[in-house]
Amino acid sequence: MTASVWQIAVEPGQRVGAGERVVVLEAMKMEFIVVAPVDGVIETVLCARGGMVMAGQNLATLRTYG
């Protein structure tokens, strides 16, 4: 599905925990919250607020601890 990037809740270098909000998308007047799958550090954000994204597109890269 195609969606609009409503909010980016992280920035590169930021530590996130599993389940923490990373990006909020809007599609068909519904919000979809994308969360971190594991604890880690955001390396890059690959989308921009107001931009369009498609299913399967990477929105951010996350480096795990360890």
Side-chain angles (χ1 to χ4, degrees), residues 39-64:
D39 296 345
V41 176
I42 299 295
E43 288 195 324
T44 56
V45 176
L46 303 169
C47 58
R49 190 172 189 276
M52 298 299 289
V53 294
M54 297 174 60
Q57 181 176 338
N58 290 329
L59 304 177
T61 57
L62 175 71
R63 180 173 36 91
T64 59

Side-chain angles (χ1 to χ4, degrees), residues 1-2 4 6 10 17-18 22 24 27-28 33 56 65:
M1 140 175 51
T2 302
S4 174
W6 191 262
V10 296
V22 176
V24 179
M28 300 173 13
I33 299 171
Y65 300 138

